Amino acid sequence: MKPLQSLRGMVDLLPGQTPFWQRIEATARDHFRRAAVEEIRTPLLELTELFARGIGEATDVVGKEMYSFEDRGDRHCTLRPEGTASVVRAAIQHGLVAQGPQRLWYGGPMFRYERPQAGRQRQFHQIGLEFLGHADPRSDVEAIAIAWDLLVDLGVDGLSLELNSLGSSDDRLRYRADLVAWLEAHRERLDPDSQQRITTNPLRVLDSKNPETQDLLAGAPTLAEALSGESHERFLRVRQGLEALAIPFTLNPRLVRGLDYYGHTAFEITSSQLGAQATVCGGGRYDGLVEQLGGPPTPAVGWALGMERLVLLLNQAQQAQGAEQRPGAAPDLYVVSRGVQGEAHAMVLARRCRHRPGDPLAVQVDLSGAGVDKQLKRARRSGARWALLLGDEEAANGTVRLMPLHGEGGAGSADRLLSQAEFLALSLDQLNA
Ligand code: ATP
Ligand code: MG
């Protein structure tokens, strides 16, 4: 029978890769804890209406990329394409926003029906942060600083932060009119997608990935020119806040976010080490969203970072250093056993080592029943520092043989015969000494 394959754009994360993911997750968790940001987990499946209302019908995400279907109760459901709408829905539903400002983070898979390529999949993973109930420009600065510090701490090279202000909704309305007039005047030189967006979502034209359209846009009116004095002042305070934290940024007047609910600060963090899909993290302020989803007027700022792109970067960095493939995956001890009694003792000792109070060991037991030589070969491949050998004779005497697998002297050089009690009393440090 022909074996089945995963769906296009849905990727398996194999054991060689998961250590990178775990490292990113652990580092993010640590950074959030230090910044007093709490985790929230929401369902992967929501009513389609949440995203239609929260993201906007005219966006690519809602218009073309959602995994939507009717469930057995005829509800219109969608696999979440992003996290913000769900977090805001949950915060409203459970009255969190009424309890005061919320500092929340989330992580997990998102689903968008896009054309798969490097750094772009149909199931992908984000880590995101949402500050709900914060209006002060310092909250924009703090949100950006948390993302920046996380990426720096992970060792991502070639980072740059691009910043823009989308102004207030009034500013955008005024700008929209100017921009539409300009786009209409240049309609025939725009790519077909952008031509269509003139009516559906003109600001998104600025975000076009078409190089000719991008060149043409150099002459378009910019949002910066359309900002009111107040919006301008607010943006200045964000920039000063970043300067005070020595976080470098460049202004990009054509930076808009793909989603409709953003205003004022918008930002992206890109890496020069990624190809076409260079944006690792994107976010900004979305003061209108909570109200749009039926909650009380609540200012908010947040971001989401794409884990696949981060993993690509960490992989590249590791390959550049020529480091070993599976960091941290090797056990401390590999147990080789033969004979009914030897095998039985092996199981007992392995379990006791794993659950030693204070000083547990990572132990792999060879369960193959193969000859000792074969088991030892696998022990060396496992990356463990030590092998523990147990046969019926050792079991009868209550002893074990401890064999170094790597390091000076080479494998098998200096086996030690120990009583099982002596062995169990060895700390990891003594073992490694
Ligand atoms: P892009 O312009 O790359 O499509 P976007 O504006 O659609 O990005 P957001 O919705 O802001 O992206 O999501 C935040 C981050 O999530 C992106 O910067 C990117 O790192 C990641 N991301 C978005 N879509 C995908 C995808 N299909 N596959 C992998 N990562 C993704
Ligand atoms: Mg996209």
Side-chain angles (χ1 to χ4, degrees):
M1 223 196 309
K2 201 171 156 232
L4 295 175
Q5 303 279 311
S6 63
L7 285 165
R8 189 165 139 76
M10 309 267 168
V11 175
D12 299 308
L13 302 174
L14 303 179
Q17 284 297 303
T18 46
F20 290 107
W21 290 76
Q22 289 167 2
R23 201 181 122 214
I24 295 168
E25 286 158 2
T27 310
R29 227 170 262 286
D30 185 42
H31 279 243
F32 289 133
R33 188 185 51 76
R34 285 191 261 162
V37 183
E38 297 176 295
E39 185 180 7
I40 183 166
R41 299 189 192 196
T42 63
L44 302 194
L45 204 57
E46 297 272 4
L47 285 176
T48 302
E49 193 190 342
L50 173 66
F51 304 114
R53 251 166 65 182
I55 302 176
E57 305 270 8
T59 58
D60 281 355
V61 171
V62 174
K64 321 187 201 163
E65 297 174 356
M66 293 208 299
Y67 279 89
S68 299
F69 61 94
E70 280 177 33
D71 74 5
R72 288 167 194 275
D74 299 327
R75 294 174 202 86
H76 295 281
C77 304
T78 294
L79 280 168
R80 64 179 186 192
E82 54 102 52
T84 304
S86 307
V87 169
V88 169
R89 187 226 9 95
I92 297 169
Q93 183 174 337
H94 303 286
L96 299 186
V97 281
Q99 292 168 24
Q102 299 291 316
R103 302 161 65 84
L104 304 170
W105 73 272
Y106 62 84
M110 307 292 161
F111 303 85
R112 296 184 193 176
Y113 198 82
E114 303 195 68
R115 195 168 68 77
Q117 51 203 291
R120 191 176 294 287
Q121 296 168 189
R122 292 182 174 171
Q123 174 174 330
F124 63 101
H125 299 77
Q126 289 183 336
I127 291 178
L129 168 135
E130 316 289 358
F131 284 168
L132 307 179
H134 286 290
D136 196 290
R138 286 178 301 163
S139 59
D140 309 35
V141 174
E142 195 186 15
I144 293 172
I146 292 171
W148 183 263
D149 290 341
L150 171 60
L151 292 170
V152 169
D153 195 13
L154 284 167
V156 180
D157 285 333
L159 287 178
S160 54
L161 168 63
E162 294 186 20
L163 203 61
N164 192 18
S165 172
L166 307 178
S168 65
S169 43
D170 283 348
D171 298 341
R172 281 197 302 287
L173 225 61
R174 263 199 319 276
Y175 174 64
R176 195 185 157 112
D178 293 350
L179 180 66
V180 168
W182 189 91
L183 291 172
E184 285 295 359
H186 297 81
R187 174 182 279 276
E188 72 290 353
R189 292 176 58 197
L190 293 170
D191 61 277
D193 255 359
S194 296
Q195 287 178 351
Q196 203 161 35
R197 289 201 178 113
I198 299 179
T199 35
T200 58
N201 196 351
L203 261 64
R204 273 307 302 272
V205 176
L206 299 178
D207 194 30
S208 165
K209 303 221 157 67
N210 182 295
E212 280 131 53
T213 298
Q214 271 307 332
D215 288 345
L216 181 68
L217 286 167
T222 68
L223 257 161
E225 298 151 1
L227 292 190
S228 66
E230 216 176 317
S231 301
H232 202 79
E233 173 65 19
R234 193 181 188 289
F235 191 34
L236 190 65
R237 291 195 47 204
V238 173
R239 276 146 43 201
Q240 287 168 341
L242 290 169
E243 280 159 8
L245 297 182
I247 295 175
F249 60 86
T250 53
L251 297 181
N252 176 355
R254 273 193 292 286
L255 178 87
V256 291
R257 303 288 308 137
L259 311 179
D260 272 355
Y261 47 71
Y262 286 97
H264 292 294
T265 308
F267 73 94
E268 283 188 358
I269 302 176
T270 57
S271 167
S272 58
Q273 310 294 305
L274 286 169
Q277 266 57 249
T279 307
V280 187
C281 178
R285 180 154 282 281
Y286 53 96
D287 291 338
L289 181 64
V290 180
E291 208 175 353
Q292 196 172 319
L293 292 177
T298 308
V301 60
W303 50 255
L305 65 78
M307 291 189 66
E308 277 74 11
R309 295 182 197 179
L310 206 44
V311 170
L312 278 175
L313 288 168
L314 297 185
N315 258 313
Q316 281 172 11
Q318 198 190 53
Q319 270 165 23
Q321 287 167 9
E324 113 186 36
Q325 260 298 296
R326 294 179 57 176
D332 301 310
L333 189 72
Y334 193 100
V335 181
V336 170
S337 60
R338 287 293 286 167
V340 176
Q341 287 310 314
E343 287 174 359
H345 277 228
M347 295 301 281
V348 173
L349 283 177
R351 184 160 175 245
R352 289 185 64 180
C353 290
R354 287 170 182 156
H355 300 287
R356 294 201 305 197
D359 198 20
L361 297 181
V363 183
Q364 182 173 350
V365 183
D366 194 303
L367 302 173
S368 66
V372 171
D373 285 350
K374 269 207 170 142
Q375 291 191 47
L376 275 175
K377 213 165 155 185
R378 266 196 295 270
R380 273 175 217 112
R381 264 209 313 260
S382 77
R385 269 193 81 161
W386 297 91
L388 195 69
L389 276 68
L390 268 155
D392 282 340
E393 199 186 314
E394 284 83 6
N397 300 333
T399 57
V400 291
R401 250 171 228 290
L402 191 60
M403 175 190 279
L405 292 172
H406 301 282
E408 71 212 75
S413 59
D415 295 20
R416 284 158 74 189
L417 187 66
L418 298 167
S419 79
Q420 293 184 3
E422 271 177 308
F423 166 70
L424 282 168
L426 283 179
S427 70
L428 187 57
D429 283 345
Q430 285 169 319
L431 201 59
N432 287 338

